[in-house]
Amino acid sequence: MDAQQGSPMSMLIIFVLFGLIFYFMIYRPQQKRNKEHRKLMSELAKGTEVLTSGGLIGKITKVPTDSDAIVIALNETNEVTIKRDFIVAILPKGSIKSL
């Protein structure tokens, strides 16, 4: 009988442990990545050199305020329009010239 009375309490402890593992292994790191990405999006400005998730490296030429797209110059003659969400990194100034 004593084993049956202790069983609900041990199950509760196991659920709490799984909840803590879930929080520290999945939820908290995802929040941190989202915060860093929002910071990155706020730093986008004309003239910034960026890397896209597709591997394109270019310099931002237009940042429309009414749209979630930006225009990136890949070189002197080619420009592409992409969604802001596809920017994965801001590169140091002069990165494009060093390639």
Side-chain angles (χ1 to χ4, degrees), residues 22-79:
F22 176 79
Y23 176 76
F24 284 108
M25 297 295 287
I26 298 171
Y27 186 71
R28 191 169 171 204
Q30 183 65 36
Q31 278 185 325
K32 190 175 182 179
R33 280 191 293 273
N34 288 345
K35 184 178 179 182
E36 289 172 359
H37 194 263
R38 281 192 305 271
K39 182 179 180 247
L40 176 77
M41 292 298 109
S42 69
E43 294 174 355
L44 295 180
K46 185 176 178 181
T48 305
E49 295 178 7
V50 294
L51 171 67
T52 68
S53 60
L56 298 175
I57 296 176
K59 186 180 286 191
I60 297 176
T61 57
K62 296 177 191 166
V63 184
T65 56
D66 59 343
S67 173
D68 65 342
I70 59 172
V71 179
I72 297 176
L74 302 176
N75 55 31
E76 291 80 25
T77 58
N78 295 335
E79 287 187 341

Side-chain angles (χ1 to χ4, degrees), residues 64-99:
T65 56
D66 59 343
S67 173
D68 65 342
I70 59 172
V71 179
I72 297 176
L74 302 176
N75 55 31
E76 291 80 25
T77 58
N78 295 335
E79 287 187 341
V80 291
T81 302
I82 64 166
K83 289 184 68 163
R84 289 175 181 254
D85 297 339
F86 289 102
I87 302 294
V88 293
I90 294 178
L91 302 173
K93 294 249 184 232
S95 296
I96 295 174
K97 290 181 182 178
S98 67
L99 294 176

